[in-house]
Amino acid sequence: MNQPVHILNGPNLSRLGRREPQVYGTTTLAELAALCSGWAAGLGLELTFDQCEGEGQLVTWIHRAGDQAKGLILNAGAYTHTSVAVRDAVSSISIPVIEVHLSNPAAREPFRRRNLLEDVVYAGLRGFGVDGYRFALEGLAARLRLGSDP
Ligand code: DQA
């Protein structure tokens, strides 16, 4: 049976494809969702893919992932750098969470070097563009196959 995994995207990722394409590329969110669903199916994962602009909605969906999914891939966007609530939500669930960013925030403006999630997630992928989501799905599938090691 396919393992349920969730991908959650935070604020402004709805504008992918139009938003600073030199930083985030030209793939739209709808195209990214379709790519992820193909990659997930190939890995035996059953995917739920969502995006929201609001912090509270993101927190609610992180809780939902903790209750319903075997793993979570999270691009919290700017909340990565600001939100104690998103950090606490990640800490409150016990499934592996993989943090993804299209760009490498640490190589950009100094305020993006602050990351409130990096020490509460299972792993992180930054700077690979949309391929980061594929690598995260592959990593999650491998992690789920291995069980709880390491
Ligand atoms: C982002 C990086 C964040 O710093 C930024 O606020 C985003 C997108 C990324 O995917 O590269 O909204 O998470």
Side-chain angles (χ1 to χ4, degrees), residues 9-13 16 19-20 23-24 74-81 99-106 108-109 111-112 126-127 133:
N9 297 282
N12 300 305
L13 292 162
L16 279 183
R19 173 193 183 198
E20 298 176 83
V23 176
Y24 298 114
L74 175 65
N75 184 348
Y79 291 137
T80 306
H81 316 298
E99 181 192 351
V100 170
H101 298 283
L102 294 148
S103 67
N104 178 1
R108 298 176 59 195
E109 303 95 324
F111 62 83
R112 291 185 207 275
R126 305 175 184 98
Y133 287 76

Side-chain angles (χ1 to χ4, degrees), residues 3-7 33 36-38 40-41 45-49 73 137:
Q3 307 247 52
V5 302
H6 290 192
I7 294 181
C36 287
S37 107
L45 302 172
E46 185 190 313
L47 182 65
T48 297
F49 185 102
I73 294 166
L137 284 163

